[in-house]
Amino acid sequence: MVALRAVLVAALAARADAAGLRGRTALTVNPIRRVVTMLQGMQTKIVEEGKRDQELYDKFMCYCQTGASDLAASVQAAETKMPAVTSALEEASAQKTQLEADLVQHKQDRVDAEDAVKEATALRGKEAAIFAKASGDYKTNIAATGKAIDLISKGAGGSFLQTNTAAIVRSLTINMDLSSADRDMMSSFLSEGQGQGYTPQSGQITGILKQMKDTMEADLADITKTEEESKATYEGLVAAKEQEIAANSKAIEDKTKRLGETGVKIEELKEDLEDTSASYVEDKKFLADLDKNCATKTAEYEVVKKTRAEETLAIAETIKILNDDDALELFKTTLPSSSLLQVTVKDKEVRHMAIKALRGSHDNRLDFISLALRGKKVNFDKVLAMIDEMVTLLGKEQVDDDGKKVYCEKEIDAAEDKKKELDLDISDLEKAIEETKAFIETTTEELAALAAGINALDKSVIKATDQRKAENEEYKSTMAQNTAAKELLGVAKNRLNKFYN
């Protein structure tokens, strides 16, 4: 089973090595070709720059021929525009100043209106508190007076004098504006000393009480009317002030927006005025120097054109030097040999490697794989599928072997326990013999390994010596060829230096 797994692993490893070899191909690029390619790129770039400069020069010369009239029109337009922009800038600045003053006034008016609402609210609160107290007193006194009238009218004047209502009426008699006769009569009636066994004229007393009640009801109606008028006045004032606050807030919002827009407009006008003034000065100066500038530009372009032609010629001659047949042959000898390149492994070689890995196996199942590989038309997918099936089957057999191994171990342990006492001495002797044999075998293997290592070392020394000699000869040849190549590159370098330096 172990040998079978080893064969399968070897076959898979051969397949992996072959796939890796297919992907590795060492490529080398001639360094002189890189130099030539770089010079050709420079040559193309110089030609493109020449075309671009020619287009720019043609446009400039066209401008020299037709630019005078355009510059004159631009100067005249600037002279007309600058006063208009200056006037608009002054107008916008004045508008900004007015908006800033209006905003300050609107903000102050809004603050004044808010303060007026606060003061009116505080005063309204005080007046409402005074009215609540006064109306409450009037209502209490009116109720007490009405109760007294009812009791006295029913002839219960004696019991009335013992109630709290009598005390309220007594206080009203003192505090209200009554005639002396009415006050004396009420005082006599309400006097506790005269109230016992005294039968007053109830009609007179009730008449005075009704008069007092009517007076208090009239006074209550007056203060109620005054309270309603105060509330209406307060509500009207608050409504008016709120409208004023809203109007000022809207004005502040609108004028703040206008102020910002005006500020932006001022900056745009300033920038426009600066640009127009600068363009005016520049156009006027350029118009005066137009002929001189055109002549200078023509002279400069002729120098650039001549220099570019000389540079193109130098690069072309350098490329010719490096592309010469003798130079190419020399550079070929200085480059690494193509024999050092790795050769792509073909499918046939992969098949041979797999067959070699399977050779020597005595398992019939692997014989089918080997037979499939020897066929003329080999599909590695089918072979791999067969290998995968074999691996799965081996896994199942391994599980069975593990189960049998556990069972065998248990049986062996039981047998050994029974024979332990009888075979103890024999076991010790056998162990000693085995240890001696193992020592002899180990020593023999170590001696053989040392001998093989010495032989391999001798062979490697001989091989290394031969390789070193070959490398030395190759080095001498390469140095000679490199020297010739360097001299040729020096010639090319000197040609370029004649132009660039």
Side-chain angles (χ1 to χ4, degrees):
M1 183 64 64
V2 175
L4 182 58
R5 291 194 186 91
V7 172
L8 286 175
V9 171
L12 292 174
R15 174 178 174 269
D17 291 340
L21 288 173
R22 285 194 185 96
R24 296 195 298 267
T25 301
L27 298 177
T28 56
V29 179
N30 190 332
I32 303 305
R33 173 53 55 194
R34 293 181 180 176
V35 175
V36 172
T37 302
M38 180 189 69
L39 292 174
Q40 290 173 344
M42 291 175 58
Q43 193 175 32
T44 302
K45 186 176 180 181
I46 291 171
V47 173
E48 292 176 353
E49 291 177 352
K51 292 180 180 179
R52 185 174 66 251
D53 291 347
Q54 182 66 44
E55 292 177 358
L56 294 175
Y57 175 73
D58 293 341
K59 290 180 180 179
F60 187 82
M61 295 309 297
C62 179
Y63 181 76
C64 288
Q65 297 173 2
T66 62
S69 58
D70 295 339
L71 286 174
S74 177
V75 169
Q76 184 177 1
E79 290 175 348
T80 304
K81 182 179 180 180
M82 285 188 292
V85 175
T86 302
S87 176
L89 181 60
E90 292 175 353
E91 181 180 354
S93 299
Q95 184 179 6
K96 180 182 178 182
T97 302
Q98 183 61 43
L99 288 172
E100 290 174 346
D102 292 344
L103 281 173
V104 172
Q105 186 61 44
H106 285 309
K107 291 178 181 179
Q108 185 60 45
D109 292 342
R110 184 172 63 180
V111 171
D112 293 342
E114 291 174 348
D115 291 341
V117 171
K118 291 178 182 178
E119 292 176 359
T121 302
L123 180 61
R124 178 85 280 277
K126 292 179 181 179
E127 291 177 348
I130 294 172
F131 168 75
K133 185 178 183 304
S135 63
D137 293 342
Y138 276 122
K139 290 177 181 178
T140 301
N141 294 334
I142 291 170
T145 305
K147 186 177 180 181
I149 293 172
D150 292 339
L151 292 174
I152 294 172
S153 298
K154 294 178 181 179
S159 60
F160 164 72
L161 295 176
Q162 305 301 321
T163 63
N164 292 330
T165 303
I168 296 173
V169 174
R170 187 178 297 110
S171 176
L172 291 174
T173 302
I174 297 172
N175 296 324
M176 287 188 67
D177 185 14
L178 299 175
S179 63
S180 300
D182 291 341
R183 184 176 283 106
D184 291 341
M185 185 175 293
M186 289 298 299
S187 298
S188 175
F189 171 74
L190 295 172
S191 174
E192 292 181 358
Q194 296 179 358
Q196 296 177 356
Y198 175 74
T199 303
Q201 298 294 327
S202 59
Q204 294 177 352
I205 296 301
T206 55
I208 295 172
L209 289 173
K210 288 180 179 180
Q211 183 180 358
M212 293 171 60
K213 181 182 178 183
D214 292 339
T215 301
M216 288 187 293
E217 288 175 347
D219 292 341
L220 177 60
D222 290 339
I223 63 172
T224 301
K225 181 180 179 181
T226 302
E227 172 66 13
E228 294 298 329
E229 292 175 352
S230 298
K231 286 174 65 177
T233 301
Y234 166 74
E235 292 173 354
L237 174 63
V238 170
K241 292 300 181 182
E242 287 179 349
Q243 291 180 356
E244 183 179 350
I245 292 171
N248 284 317
S249 298
K250 188 175 185 306
I252 291 171
E253 182 180 355
D254 294 340
K255 291 187 177 181
T256 300
K257 180 180 178 181
R258 288 174 57 193
L259 180 63
E261 293 173 350
T262 303
V264 172
K265 181 179 179 181
I266 289 173
E267 295 301 321
E268 291 176 350
L269 289 172
K270 287 181 179 179
E271 185 176 356
D272 189 12
L273 183 60
E274 291 176 0
D275 293 342
T276 303
S277 300
S279 177
Y280 171 75
V281 173
E282 184 177 354
D283 289 346
K284 198 170 183 179
K285 180 180 179 182
F286 193 80
L287 181 61
D289 299 336
L290 182 61
D291 294 337
K292 180 180 178 182
N293 292 335
C294 292
T296 302
K297 185 64 177 180
T298 300
E300 292 176 352
Y301 179 71
E302 291 298 331
V303 173
V304 172
K305 188 175 180 180
K306 180 181 178 182
T307 304
R308 184 176 288 109
E310 293 175 354
E311 183 179 10
T312 304
L313 178 61
I315 293 175
E317 291 178 355
T318 304
I319 293 173
K320 183 178 180 182
I321 292 171
L322 296 178
N323 278 335
D324 186 76
D325 293 340
D326 294 337
L328 293 176
E329 185 65 27
L330 176 60
F331 289 132
K332 286 181 181 178
T333 59
T334 61
L335 293 175
S337 176
S338 60
S339 62
L340 297 178
L341 296 176
Q342 296 181 355
V343 181
T344 303
V345 179
K346 298 182 180 178
D347 290 341
K348 184 177 180 181
E349 296 175 0
V350 176
R351 185 165 61 251
H352 287 312
M353 293 174 67
I355 294 172
K356 184 178 180 181
L358 296 172
R359 187 178 300 163
S361 173
H362 300 289
D363 193 301
N364 293 329
R365 293 169 294 185
L366 294 179
D367 291 340
F368 285 111
I369 298 176
S370 179
L371 181 61
L373 290 173
R374 288 188 178 93
K376 293 183 178 181
K377 293 183 179 179
V378 179
N379 188 340
F380 276 98
D381 292 337
K382 295 182 179 179
V383 174
L384 293 177
M386 295 173 67
I387 293 174
D388 292 338
E389 292 176 359
M390 183 68 67
V391 171
T392 303
L393 181 59
L394 289 175
K396 294 180 180 179
E397 293 180 356
Q398 181 64 43
V399 174
D400 296 338
D401 290 345
D402 291 340
K404 293 177 181 180
K405 181 180 179 183
V406 173
Y407 172 77
C408 291
E409 288 176 351
K410 289 181 180 180
E411 293 297 322
I412 291 171
D413 290 340
E416 286 179 354
D417 291 339
K418 293 179 181 179
K419 295 173 60 179
K420 188 173 182 180
E421 295 179 357
L422 299 175
D423 296 340
L424 183 59
D425 295 336
I426 297 173
S427 177
D428 292 338
L429 292 174
E430 289 177 351
K431 288 181 181 178
I433 293 171
E434 292 296 332
E435 289 178 356
T436 303
K437 289 182 179 180
F439 177 74
I440 293 172
E441 291 176 358
T442 302
T443 304
T444 302
E445 291 176 357
E446 289 178 353
L447 290 174
L450 289 174
I454 293 171
N455 292 331
L457 182 61
D458 292 339
K459 292 180 181 179
S460 64
V461 170
I462 295 171
K463 184 178 180 180
T465 302
D466 295 338
Q467 183 179 357
R468 186 68 190 90
K469 290 180 180 179
E471 290 176 351
N472 185 40
E473 292 298 328
E474 184 181 358
Y475 170 75
K476 291 179 180 179
S477 176
T478 302
M479 289 300 296
Q481 294 171 352
N482 286 345
T483 301
K486 288 180 180 179
E487 292 177 356
L488 182 59
L489 289 174
V491 174
K493 180 179 178 182
N494 291 333
R495 179 62 186 88
L496 291 176
N497 284 333
K498 288 181 181 180
F499 173 75
Y500 288 108
N501 296 326

